Amino acid sequence: MSKYFTRRAFTATAASTLVISSKSIAQEGWNPDLNNPDLGFDTVQNQSARLSGEANSVRRNASAFRDRSNWKNYFSNTKNGVILVDTQSRALHFWSEKQDLYKLYPVAVPSSDDLTRLGRTSVTGKRVGPDWRPTPSMLKSNPDWPSYIGPGPGNPLGSHALYLSWTYYRIHGTHDNRKIGRRSSNGCIGLYNAQIAELFDLTKVGTQVLFI
């Protein structure tokens, strides 16, 4: 990596918080058709359509989606709503507290097992237009990086972020849409900006989260 910092290079390498990677280049200012189901943005589909269509980028794991479709296999209750992040099939499942709403989203997951944390956590904060600060280890390895990036198209966290009880871990948007459906993050879980906006409205502080 060049010792000189550029906004594009930084956005590509720091997109999901935990360690350094340089596998992709961010597409800033990309404006998808939010009504195009081929891109996974149709937010009015029913559950059946989501299982076969919205997870288009990870549909090769459709059987895994069906296996995960019952919240009772993973949670004792749905108080405050529940999120199941399946790092193997690269999908995020959401059930509402009343169990009358189910959502399925394709996601970007950590690029290696070493970066993947599994277990139970919860949503501890929510933010529209999140800001971003590199971890101490990031700054140590890359002293030319800025210590702060505000909201906007160059921010690695995209348009919305859900903060978890695990330090440095987030469920957030991304401006690099090629990451979705791949092992491409540095630890966090990334969604299309349109879909993290929907999930953001459905969740609350206290929503239960399980990474498997």
Side-chain angles (χ1 to χ4, degrees):
M1 181 184 294
S2 169
K3 70 177 182 178
Y4 297 106
F5 169 81
T6 66
R7 180 178 179 179
R8 181 171 294 277
F10 171 78
T11 306
T13 58
S16 295
T17 19
L18 293 182
V19 300
I20 311 308
S21 175
S22 58
K23 293 182 179 179
S24 62
I25 299 176
Q27 295 174 319
E28 296 180 13
W30 192 74
N31 296 305
D33 176 4
L34 301 186
N35 294 313
N36 184 349
D38 290 335
L39 295 177
F41 289 108
D42 186 351
T43 59
V44 298
Q45 292 176 325
N46 60 29
Q47 177 176 333
S48 176
R50 286 183 182 278
L51 286 171
S52 60
E54 180 175 302
N56 182 58
S57 63
V58 287
R59 63 177 178 266
R60 66 183 180 277
N61 292 315
S63 61
F65 296 157
R66 289 191 291 271
D67 292 342
R68 309 290 190 249
S69 62
N70 189 344
W71 65 266
K72 293 180 181 179
N73 293 334
Y74 303 96
F75 300 91
S76 61
N77 60 71
T78 54
K79 183 179 180 181
N80 296 322
V82 295
I83 291 173
L84 174 68
V85 178
D86 187 342
T87 59
Q88 295 301 309
S89 61
R90 306 165 197 173
L92 183 151
H93 305 254
F94 170 81
W95 291 268
S96 64
E97 180 170 8
K98 294 181 179 180
Q99 304 164 23
D100 58 350
L101 182 65
Y102 168 77
K103 299 286 186 177
L104 171 66
Y105 305 106
V107 296
V109 300
S111 59
S112 70
D113 292 342
D114 290 342
L115 300 177
T116 302
R117 182 168 182 176
L118 306 179
R120 296 187 184 276
T121 180
S122 63
V123 175
T124 58
K126 301 171 60 178
R127 189 163 183 179
V128 178
D131 54 9
W132 185 90
R133 290 177 173 83
T135 65
S137 62
M138 285 180 175
L139 285 176
K140 183 177 180 179
S141 301
N142 297 269
D144 293 329
W145 280 17
S147 60
Y148 173 84
I149 292 183
N155 190 293
L157 301 187
S159 62
H160 298 68
L162 302 178
Y163 294 76
L164 306 178
S165 61
W166 296 342
T167 304
Y168 303 133
Y169 285 81
R170 314 278 187 263
I171 298 172
H172 60 78
T174 179
H175 298 295
D176 186 353
N177 295 280
R178 294 170 298 176
K179 288 179 174 289
I180 305 302
R182 300 179 180 179
R183 299 187 74 188
S184 57
S185 87
N186 293 315
C188 293
I189 301 301
L191 285 78
Y192 291 117
N193 281 333
Q195 294 184 335
I196 187 61
E198 180 181 65
L199 182 64
F200 186 94
D201 289 339
L202 296 173
T203 56
K204 62 180 72 174
V205 172
T207 292
Q208 304 174 63
V209 182
L210 172 62
F211 285 66
I212 63 172

